Amino acid sequence: MVLLVGLVVAPVSVRAAGEVNLYSARQEVLIKPLLDLFSQQTGIKVNLVAGRPEALLQRLRSEGRNTPADLLLTVDAGNLNGAMAAGLFQPVRSALLEEAVPAALRDPEGHWFGLSARARVIVYAKERFDPAAVKSYADLAEPALGRKVCIRSSSNVYNQSMVAAMIAHQGVAATEAWVRGLMANLGRPPQGGDRDQINAVAAGQCDLAVVNTYYLGGMLNGSPAERAAAAKVGLIWPDQEGRGTHVNVSGAGVTRHARNLANAVRLLEFLVSEEAQSWYANANYEFPVRAGVDVGETLASWGPFKADDLNLAILGELNPEGVRLMDRAGWR
Ligand code: FE
């Protein structure tokens, strides 16, 4: 029955349905299979331009109203809000999107929608550190902890967004005090990416590090060397008794000058479907934004967690303040 429908419908709808142009800051391997599935199901051709987040933003800006792009997909609410502030998105209403994506993970006016969620967690050295000693981001800045923490530089948007969220919750002064405390507890100067922090903990350079969950998921399922390093660290969900763990998203918005508006919305709706959401979780170890989706063994093994429900749109507004604060407090 299912096969028959597939055979009869798919060839007919191809070509008739038009196309959609996507600028994507996701690696091609992490999006292409989904786009192919979308094309199979709808007959809509997807023209993919993949690039780095900053490069795609710049390209959209300079192309202005002549841009072929209908959709911009990128990572981090900081980048999504940046694109919105630059006037590159248009607001979209879709009951399906509004139902599937929790309010905290999308722009209230529909300029962008989170498509997958990542949490910024603490990892610890299983051999050397008692995870009961650190329960919150605040604990990382306690003088009693000592120089045990590894973290990447302040130029990275993940840290900027984490700091912006803290400013939203507790204000500038308390956040600055936290950053100063964190800097005093660093086991080495900020360097490398999130995977490097996990490797540093595994290698004994630090006992604790702050990383996005999907890097740990990727390493747990990666090369033998990555698996060996990841096996040496455990995961702490920060602030479970308080405001919840800081989360961020990958997400997308319809461009202001989109010519294939309906197809762009349709692609967004497809990307929050159960099928697409489960694929994301299993292929890239990111959390679905949609509830009730099969997340695969790795994510399931980490158990459920309480996420901070701060609306991520606020991270864009507070980003410049956060960057200045990090600079003042000596986070390089
Ligand atoms: Fe990343």
Side-chain angles (χ1 to χ4, degrees), residues 257-276:
H257 301 292
R259 285 175 205 134
N260 302 290
L261 180 60
N263 287 349
V265 174
R266 224 166 141 195
L267 178 53
L268 279 180
E269 291 175 344
F270 169 79
L271 291 173
V272 300
S273 68
E274 207 172 321
E275 194 173 16

Side-chain angles (χ1 to χ4, degrees), residues 118 152 158 212 214-215:
R118 55 275 295 277
R152 70 198 291 177
Y158 305 151
N212 281 357
Y214 56 91
Y215 290 110

Side-chain angles (χ1 to χ4, degrees), residues 52 118 120 149-160 162 182-183 186 188-198 208-212 214-215 326 331-332:
R52 304 211 24 95
R118 55 275 295 277
R120 200 141 180 80
V149 186
C150 275
I151 195 165
R152 70 198 291 177
S153 96
S154 62
S155 64
N156 171 259
V157 73
Y158 305 151
N159 285 333
Q160 293 171 6
M162 180 174 68
L182 176 66
M183 291 302 106
L186 292 190
R188 61 172 191 177
Q191 59 196 268
D194 281 5
R195 284 172 193 262
D196 298 310
Q197 314 312 317
I198 294 170
L208 296 159
V210 178
V211 301
N212 281 357
Y214 56 91
Y215 290 110
M326 292 159 100
W331 191 340
R332 298 294 175 245

